[in-house]
Amino acid sequence: MRLKELAAARPRFGYLRLHMLLRREVWGVNRKRVYRLYREEGLQVRTKKRRKKLATRVRASQSEATSRDARWSMDFVSDQLVGGRQFRVLTLVDLYSRECLALRAGFSLKRGDVAAVLDGLKRNGRKPKTITVDNGSEFTSKELDTWSYLNDVKLDFIRPGKPVENCYIESFNGKLRDEYLNMNLFFTLTQVEQTMRNWLHDYNQVRPLRLFLGV
């Protein structure tokens, strides 16, 4: 019953994540039993069949993130309100700890808004050595270029048309869409901002981030 309750609360979690949540609640149950019950109760997550990709290797050499704040990654995700109005979400992830550092939603996020988010993190003691970004106008702007120069932060641009070179943020964006954006109806931007803060806290503090390390 508890497995079904957790699966209902987190419909996009597979049996490994659900098993980790049960362990955190001090349930003495092994992974094989959870998997058997998971299958018997029909709790499997439905996924789309993906076409085989023949060329998915990153050809550009990028240094690995070896410590906290060594390398961040930024991107944008788009969605819309029930009324049809489009909004965007700025996503920012630490590639070493995999924590989401910021989510900023807006109807029209301007170039200076990106620098403002980074300034806010800097005031809280967080500043990266490198930020991986694509070639969008918000990231190639003079505002962000000036901010990075004044704060001694390197902007690492991926090649145009090669999102795989920024695969970590692409993976995070997929989770954000799958587990949050696609699971909710939004009527106002205020509602987006409020519920997104709750999801961010859950992502960083509650959900099992490293299944096989037992964290």
Side-chain angles (χ1 to χ4, degrees):
M1 291 299 297
R2 183 55 182 154
L3 178 62
K4 290 172 70 173
E5 290 172 357
L6 289 173
R10 300 176 181 273
R12 300 305 299 173
F13 273 25
Y15 85 94
L16 289 174
R17 289 177 178 171
L18 294 174
H19 172 250
M20 185 62 66
L21 292 176
L22 288 171
R23 282 183 55 188
R24 289 181 176 179
E25 296 181 1
V26 201
W27 285 82
V29 57
N30 62 41
R31 188 180 299 173
K32 291 183 179 179
R33 186 182 181 191
V34 171
Y35 179 70
R36 177 174 59 81
L37 295 173
Y38 180 80
R39 294 293 297 267
E40 289 177 357
E41 295 296 329
L43 303 176
Q44 298 95 323
V45 176
R46 294 183 180 181
T47 57
K48 295 181 180 178
K49 187 176 181 180
R50 296 181 179 179
R51 293 181 298 173
K52 185 178 180 181
K53 296 182 179 180
L54 299 179
T56 57
R57 282 193 223 169
V58 177
R59 295 185 175 88
S61 59
Q62 294 182 352
S63 60
E64 292 292 330
T66 57
S67 63
R68 192 169 180 248
D69 296 334
R71 180 181 286 273
W72 294 358
S73 184
M74 285 195 302
D75 200 7
F76 282 97
V77 178
S78 299
D79 206 340
Q80 64 180 18
L81 303 180
V82 172
R85 188 172 183 184
Q86 298 282 333
F87 66 87
R88 304 177 77 198
V89 179
L90 173 68
T91 58
L92 183 59
V93 175
D94 185 306
L95 299 190
Y96 180 78
S97 66
R98 304 297 174 84
E99 66 181 307
C100 177
L101 300 167
L103 293 174
R104 170 71 68 85
F107 291 125
S108 178
L109 291 174
K110 300 178 181 179
R111 298 173 182 180
D113 293 329
V114 177
V117 169
L118 294 171
D119 259 335
L121 290 168
K122 180 185 174 184
R123 286 194 295 270
N124 290 325
R126 302 296 300 271
K127 191 188 77 167
K129 295 179 181 177
T130 303
I131 306 178
T132 303
V133 292
D134 61 25
N135 292 272
S137 60
E138 295 86 358
F139 302 140
T140 58
S141 66
K142 292 182 179 179
E143 290 86 349
L144 185 58
D145 182 66
T146 300
W147 184 92
S148 64
Y149 173 78
L150 294 176
N151 290 279
D152 193 27
V153 174
K154 178 185 176 183
L155 296 179
D156 187 10
F157 293 94
I158 66 173
R159 291 177 294 169
K162 299 291 183 180
V164 69
E165 295 181 3
N166 206 1
C167 57
Y168 292 113
I169 195 72
E170 294 292 336
S171 175
F172 172 80
N173 289 346
K175 294 182 178 68
L176 176 67
R177 184 171 298 284
D178 191 41
E179 299 173 12
Y180 171 66
L181 295 174
N182 289 350
M183 298 298 294
N184 294 278
L185 292 176
F186 304 111
F187 294 89
T188 65
L189 187 63
T190 300
Q191 178 197 359
V192 175
E193 294 169 338
Q194 292 174 345
T195 56
M196 196 164 57
R197 281 195 294 268
N198 296 334
W199 187 87
L200 177 61
H201 177 268
D202 180 83
Y203 181 86
N204 285 335
Q205 305 297 331
V206 180
R207 64 182 281 138
L209 291 176
R210 295 185 174 92
L211 295 171
F212 301 105
L213 296 179
V215 177

